[in-house]
Amino acid sequence: MAGVMGIQRKSLLAGVARAACARRALSSVSTSSIRTETAGKQVEGFPLKNEEDFRIFFHDDRVNSRVSPWHDVPLFVSKQERIVNYVNEIPRGGVEKMEVATKEEFNPIKQDVKKGKLRLYPFQSLVNYGCLPQTWEDPEHKDASTGMLGDNDPLDVVEIGSRVHL
């Protein structure tokens, strides 16, 4: 779904890279009952992106509570069929560098800040970009093929379709 942030289900064609569960899924959370809500400055009821206080929270209507897209959404929709949930942080066409706020309560999606400035890409994203819930890249683990350490965030994922529809 181009242009939509939130939780999406995708078939897992390749195995998940070295990732550890951050916390067990809450048994009461179902992705079908989760919706998003925004917080931050608004003009006539519309949230203002490109503001440091802009957040996208996830809310589970069944338990009437905010939930963490990182910790509370299960990784697998169907382990047997290898279908996973993923959290879409940057929709195709977006220019804002959005990410799960790993150090904030309920881990909302927020715009990344570097050197005191909100980060923007110089071009529109060609793909849906996000992360896999309940995964974590260990900052002490060095990847044998790249020599890079984990970034202490959920595992990144990119949705690549078979066709681009414009």
Side-chain angles (χ1 to χ4, degrees):
M1 293 176 101
V4 177
M5 287 190 198
I7 299 167
Q8 299 181 14
R9 295 175 173 89
K10 294 294 168 188
S11 176
L12 185 63
L13 300 177
V16 174
R18 183 180 169 98
C21 286
R23 186 170 97 184
R24 294 246 181 240
L26 296 176
S27 59
S28 63
V29 173
S30 163
T31 57
S32 63
S33 64
I34 295 178
R35 63 180 168 82
T36 58
E37 57 186 33
T38 57
K41 294 177 186 156
Q42 297 190 2
V43 173
E44 295 184 17
F46 291 95
L48 293 177
K49 289 172 109 177
N50 293 313
E51 294 285 338
E52 267 195 66
D53 66 347
F54 177 79
R55 299 289 184 274
I56 298 172
F57 286 94
F58 291 72
H59 191 275
D60 187 340
D61 289 332
R62 291 186 324 143
V63 293
N64 196 28
S65 175
R66 284 184 174 168
V67 293
S68 165
W70 183 17
H71 298 302
D72 298 330
V73 173
L75 173 59
F76 287 98
V77 173
S78 170
K79 207 172 203 176
Q80 192 172 23
E81 295 177 49
R82 299 175 74 183
I83 299 173
V84 297
N85 287 307
Y86 88 94
V87 178
N88 193 17
E89 298 166 302
I90 305 170
R92 186 169 66 95
V95 295
E96 296 86 6
K97 168 64 171 97
M98 306 297 283
E99 64 181 10
V100 168
T102 60
K103 293 176 177 45
E104 294 183 23
E105 186 176 25
F106 298 112
N107 310 114
I109 294 177
K110 68 171 191 159
Q111 192 167 352
D112 191 28
V113 176
K114 189 172 187 178
K115 296 182 181 177
K117 294 185 178 183
L118 293 167
R119 291 182 66 189
L120 296 170
Y121 290 118
F123 52 86
Q124 292 181 339
S125 177
L126 299 175
V127 297
N128 285 320
Y129 176 88
C131 66
L132 294 175
Q134 303 226 2
T135 62
W136 171 69
E137 290 188 285
D138 185 343
E140 296 181 19
H141 172 75
K142 184 183 274 191
D143 184 84
S145 61
T146 66
M148 301 295 292
L149 296 172
D151 64 1
N152 205 31
D153 283 337
L155 191 65
D156 297 324
V157 65
V158 174
E159 177 195 21
I160 302 173
S162 60
R163 293 192 304 191
V164 176
H165 298 275
L166 299 175

